[in-house]
Amino acid sequence: MTKNRPVNGNSIFAPQGERPKYRLIQDTILGNIANGTWSPGDRIPTERGLADFFQASIGTVRHALQGLVEQGYLSRQQGRGTYVRNSSEHTDSLRYYRFAENFASDCLRLNIKCLEPVNLGQEPKAAAKMNLPPDTMFFHLPRVFKHENRPMVYVISYLPRDIFPDFNQISLREHEETPLYLLIEQRYKMPTLSTMEAISAVAAHEENAAILEVADGSPLLRIEMLATTIRDLPYEYRISYLHTEDQNIIRKNAAHY
């Protein structure tokens, strides 16, 4: 099994005759990403190499690759080739929410602080959000993001044990030095390919008020997020509480982000 040739023997694939050739190419590429043959950041074979392997035309290969680029699985670099999409170019501590006074202002630099060791238990609400059985076991990771020792965001992440069996072996120091989405990509070869969010305004209650150092009843922004990876697999359910009294949340959306 090598990184410069696709592997086309996985049982997840339907017989070749039942699918168009471009779909066969796409499914094989996704299978190689899902089983770890190709990792985020790896360059996949050339169009000619894929055409020879699948006995397909260059046009069919380009159609297959373009579809995976548009879906966010691959990225193309002019003059260099086609790569498995990764998240490594995003090195900010809080990828999804950036604080700034206005569009032209620099975003605040945030530091991560874990509030307690990673715990394991059932989380029926997270299971329901991820369409998993209610007795699914989740790792539970609470963190606070600070700017100059001022708490800005309280985050609780839930990750299924079946997907991340040794997640509790990651040290708290690693969690504080490396954003979660990068840890997941680096350790488990799983890039974040899409997120879905539900946003609401809430009043601070006893727990999050104490962590964010605000008065009970203070207005907070509450964001639920579901992160997915290869083959639309949900891998994280996250609840965040953000204190935005004198800062704005800046979002810059790009294609396939």
Side-chain angles (χ1 to χ4, degrees):
M1 188 178 296
T2 62
K3 291 192 175 185
N4 59 0
R5 285 179 62 82
V7 178
N8 193 13
N10 196 309
S11 62
I12 64 173
F13 301 130
Q16 179 174 347
E18 297 181 7
R19 290 166 297 156
K21 183 61 70 72
Y22 82 92
R23 288 293 304 276
L24 171 68
I25 296 170
Q26 290 179 335
D27 286 348
T28 304
I29 290 172
L30 291 179
N32 278 267
I33 296 172
N35 66 26
T37 300
W38 295 333
S39 301
D42 283 347
R43 184 171 64 180
I44 71 169
T46 63
E47 291 180 354
R48 172 52 61 191
L50 291 170
D52 291 344
F53 182 83
F54 289 103
Q55 298 183 339
S57 69
I58 291 292
T60 297
V61 170
R62 286 177 180 167
H63 177 54
L65 295 181
Q66 185 59 35
L68 295 180
V69 169
E70 292 173 355
Q71 294 172 53
Y73 294 111
L74 303 176
S75 63
R76 283 183 152 167
Q77 299 181 22
Q78 186 66 33
R80 297 188 61 194
T82 304
Y83 293 77
V84 179
R85 186 174 175 84
N86 65 26
S87 308
S88 59
E89 68 271 20
H90 302 288
T91 57
D92 50 315
S93 59
L94 194 62
R95 177 183 186 183
Y96 306 106
Y97 322 119
R98 300 175 176 88
F99 286 91
E101 292 185 6
N102 53 59
F103 290 120
S105 301
D106 292 334
C107 293
L108 301 183
R109 293 186 61 85
L110 302 179
N111 299 313
I112 307 171
K113 178 67 176 177
C114 293
L115 297 178
E116 59 187 58
V118 174
N119 294 316
L120 180 66
Q122 294 182 3
E123 298 290 345
K125 182 175 182 178
K129 297 289 185 179
M130 301 178 74
N131 198 28
L132 295 172
D135 60 351
T136 297
M137 299 296 287
F138 286 87
F139 290 114
H140 166 259
L141 176 64
R143 291 154 292 157
V144 63
F145 292 75
K146 297 184 176 184
H147 173 65
E148 297 180 349
N149 213 36
R150 177 188 176 191
M152 304 292 290
V153 188
Y154 171 39
V155 178
I156 314 100
S157 291
Y158 302 95
L159 300 102
R161 180 180 61 182
D162 289 348
I163 299 177
F164 306 101
D166 60 349
F167 186 77
N168 58 342
Q169 300 302 310
I170 301 174
S171 69
L172 294 185
R173 180 177 178 180
E174 286 183 89
H175 282 299
E176 293 179 348
E177 292 180 347
T178 307
L180 180 59
Y181 70 92
L182 284 181
L183 272 178
I184 288 173
E185 179 170 296
Q186 293 165 1
R187 282 180 168 259
Y188 301 96
K189 310 304 181 185
M190 294 171 55
T192 304
L193 294 182
S194 66
T195 61
M196 183 178 295
E197 298 170 317
I199 303 173
S200 59
V202 299
H205 54 70
E206 183 177 358
E207 179 188 4
N208 56 33
I211 291 171
L212 292 173
E213 299 178 7
V214 298
D216 284 1
S218 298
L220 299 176
L221 192 65
R222 181 179 188 269
I223 302 180
E224 294 181 85
M225 188 186 80
L226 192 64
T228 60
T229 185
I230 301 297
R231 296 189 182 279
D232 296 323
L233 173 69
Y235 75 77
E236 180 197 5
Y237 171 65
R238 174 185 300 195
I239 303 177
S240 302
Y241 296 95
L242 300 89
H243 184 217
T244 59
E245 181 179 12
D246 55 4
Q247 296 286 333
N248 292 307
I249 301 298
I250 303 296
R251 295 294 305 271
K252 182 178 181 180
N253 297 317
H256 316 307
Y257 178 66

